Amino acid sequence: MLRFIIIGITDNPTPWFPPEVMEIIKSGKVFSGGKRHHEIVAPLLPEGAEWIDITAPLDAVFEQYISLTSHLSPLTSNIIVFASGDPLFFGFANTIRRKMPEAEIVVYPTFNSLQMLAHKLVMPYHNMRIVSLTGRPWPEFDRALIERAKKIGVLTDKEHTPAAIAQRMQEYGYTNYTMYVGEHLGNPAKEKVTTLTLEEAAKTEFAMPNCLILNSCNSCNSCSKKQSQFGIPDNEFALLNGREKMITKMPIRLLTLQALDLPRRRVFWDIGLCTGSVSIEARLQFPHLHIEAFEIRPECEAIIHENARRFGAPGINVHIGDFLTTPLPVGEGQEERLPDAVFIGGHGGKLKEIMAKVLIALADDGCIVMNSVKAPLVKTDSHQLWDEACKELCLQQEPPLHIQLNDHHPITILKCRR
């Protein structure tokens, strides 16, 4: 069994370690870390030390670990890893636990970069929401914004820079934050801390490595308005050709989300999203969701994005094209991307075919919901199509919910499962 000793370091070019850690380094045989870490600790390594760079692909790195230690005795089969800050804080210790769960791990941490930035600012950080964008996509950051986290600590990378983060926040209207950026924290010669507005940050380049803290000033009226809304008024949406009938009305929208049981769902698909009202409402009310939205009409794309920006709903993945010919956004081995809640907002008379394709990806505990409108001029009864599709595809229906908002056409909310 391999034993990893993981030592946290900062960017200080002349690091200091306690005597216990220095003894571990002096007696070590195999060392590992990033190239930057190697430059810092190289003068401290014993003669004849083996070094393994931690670079992608990580599977190759772990193969080297096993290969180099296979000929060592149990007493010397330690791999000493240098990692930034606290190795358990979005760090390499977590990677080892995931890839080699049986390995023994000993950790000697130091302050992580966000702690060091808070220390420099003399800013309490016990209430800070932490988000890592280092090699990760936007969803958790978007969720922190939608949930109005007052203080957000962000780990960055070359793609998710402070400027890119500020631009995203401006695009979706989250402008009530001050940004604090720390560069080369721990390196006395290069360390720099800057306080900026989002407008300033969006135009500024920062040296890597860096991290940032966002602190809400709570004075933005538009953000306060978004936060207080439970159900977006229909007249606030940008519409397709100004057609009010092309939007799921707010009371029906909220009942539809309730039928989808979104608080306990993970992945939501919205098929035939048109103006995006259902997806946007779902994103704002349940920001933990991963949302994939499909629309056949290309003229809707600009409207959807306009509404997402208008209501501060980043992170909705929009697919323009016929759902029946659009590749499903689920790959092999990506069970966590399988939809467990699907809303069919439009079907163009091809409901059976759409439901059959949904079933290819639908999670075992997933559900499908559709709203059927009883209109006298419509030749094809969508409720009848639904019943036929459910019977043919062996889907179990739940009792329908009948709603009539006004003197016009009644609506039935339909739901089924495998």
Side-chain angles (χ1 to χ4, degrees):
M1 183 174 65
L2 290 178
R3 183 171 186 259
F4 290 88
I5 301 175
I6 312 177
I7 302 170
I9 64 173
T10 69
D11 258 15
N12 195 315
T14 56
W16 177 89
F17 298 109
E20 180 184 358
V21 174
M22 285 303 301
E23 286 300 318
I24 292 171
I25 294 173
K26 288 178 182 178
S27 61
K29 300 292 184 183
V30 180
F31 297 85
S32 188
K35 294 182 183 296
R36 180 166 53 89
H37 301 140
H38 194 191
E39 294 173 0
I40 292 172
V41 302
L44 304 177
L45 302 184
E47 186 176 350
E50 296 273 2
W51 180 272
I52 300 173
D53 279 327
I54 298 177
T55 56
L58 289 180
D59 287 343
V61 176
F62 280 86
E63 288 174 6
Q64 290 184 70
Y65 290 159
I66 296 170
S67 175
L68 274 176
T69 57
S70 60
H71 63 279
L72 300 176
S73 69
L75 295 178
T76 59
S77 60
N78 294 330
I79 299 175
I80 300 171
V81 179
F82 293 95
S84 297
D86 183 348
L88 290 169
F89 182 78
F90 298 100
F92 197 64
N94 301 316
T95 304
I96 295 172
R97 292 183 65 185
R98 185 176 69 253
K99 289 188 169 290
M100 303 183 73
E102 296 182 358
E104 181 183 352
I105 299 174
V106 179
V107 174
Y108 292 90
T110 189
F111 291 120
N112 64 61
S113 58
L114 288 173
Q115 286 176 310
M116 289 192 288
L117 179 55
H119 295 163
K120 290 291 180 182
L121 297 167
V122 195
M123 177 186 289
Y125 60 88
H126 59 275
N127 59 342
M128 184 162 66
R129 177 84 164 264
I130 305 297
V131 174
S132 176
L133 291 176
T134 305
R136 293 173 169 86
W138 291 106
E140 283 305 310
F141 178 72
D142 293 341
R143 180 177 179 179
L145 292 179
I146 294 170
E147 292 178 348
R148 300 337 186 257
K150 295 184 182 301
K151 190 181 297 180
I152 309 172
V154 186
L155 301 175
T156 63
D157 64 13
K158 292 181 179 179
E159 178 182 350
H160 304 92
T161 64
I165 291 167
Q167 290 162 13
R168 189 175 185 85
M169 295 174 71
Q170 287 182 302
E171 180 180 2
Y172 289 96
Y174 293 95
T175 55
N176 60 321
Y177 286 87
T178 299
M179 181 181 288
Y180 305 89
V181 181
E183 304 166 74
H184 289 290
L185 295 172
N187 186 329
K190 297 182 178 180
E191 186 175 79
K192 183 180 179 182
V193 175
T194 311
T195 302
L196 312 96
T197 65
L198 294 183
E199 186 177 2
E200 293 168 337
K203 303 173 184 177
T204 305
E205 291 187 13
F206 298 90
M208 294 290 295
N210 61 58
C211 65
L212 61 90
I213 294 175
L214 295 163
N215 200 20
S216 171
C217 62
N218 295 316
S219 63
C220 177
N221 290 331
S222 62
C223 287
S224 299
K225 181 180 178 183
K226 293 172 191 173
Q227 187 175 11
S228 64
Q229 285 184 318
F230 180 74
I232 304 170
D234 300 333
N235 60 7
E236 293 188 12
F237 282 93
L239 302 174
L240 176 62
N241 300 325
R243 296 160 66 186
E244 295 182 4
K245 293 183 180 180
M246 297 299 290
I247 184 173
T248 303
K249 299 298 185 290
M250 189 253 283
I252 303 301
R253 197 185 315 138
L254 296 180
L255 285 170
T256 299
L257 299 187
Q258 185 277 332
L260 288 160
D261 195 15
L262 294 184
R264 70 180 191 90
R265 302 297 180 179
R266 303 176 306 277
V267 181
F268 171 49
W269 283 10
D270 182 2
I271 301 172
L273 76 161
C274 192
T275 60
S277 64
V278 173
S279 282
I280 290 169
E281 196 81 71
R283 186 71 177 131
L284 296 179
Q285 302 299 336
F286 309 102
H288 70 281
L289 288 172
H290 179 98
I291 300 180
E292 303 285 349
F294 305 84
E295 173 55 49
I296 194 170
R297 290 164 292 197
E299 61 268 29
C300 286
E301 185 171 14
I303 296 171
I304 294 161
H305 289 300
E306 179 184 344
N307 283 326
R309 289 190 294 267
R310 180 178 295 186
F311 299 108
I316 298 172
N317 299 320
V318 177
H319 307 268
I320 299 297
D322 188 342
F323 176 78
L324 293 175
T325 58
T326 299
L328 296 179
V330 178
E332 186 176 351
Q334 291 183 316
E335 285 76 13
E336 73 281 359
R337 299 289 294 274
L338 298 179
D340 52 1
V342 177
F343 174 63
I344 301 178
H347 54 81
K350 298 180 179 179
L351 181 59
K352 295 178 187 178
E353 295 88 337
I354 290 173
M355 292 175 71
K357 185 169 182 178
V358 166
L359 289 177
I360 296 173
L362 187 69
D364 291 341
D365 62 343
C367 68
I368 304 172
V369 170
M370 185 185 80
N371 297 333
S372 172
V373 182
K374 187 68 175 177
L377 298 180
V378 177
K379 295 181 180 179
T380 306
D381 188 335
S382 59
H383 196 158
Q384 180 182 345
L385 289 177
W386 171 271
D387 288 339
E388 293 172 357
C390 288
K391 183 177 180 180
E392 184 175 324
L393 299 171
C394 300
L395 295 170
Q396 181 180 352
Q397 293 197 56
E398 295 193 3
L401 177 63
H402 303 286
I403 303 292
Q404 185 159 346
L405 296 180
N406 46 40
D407 294 335
H408 300 292
H409 316 308
I411 296 170
T412 304
I413 298 178
L414 306 166
K415 181 177 181 179
C416 69
R417 305 175 183 273
R418 287 188 184 277

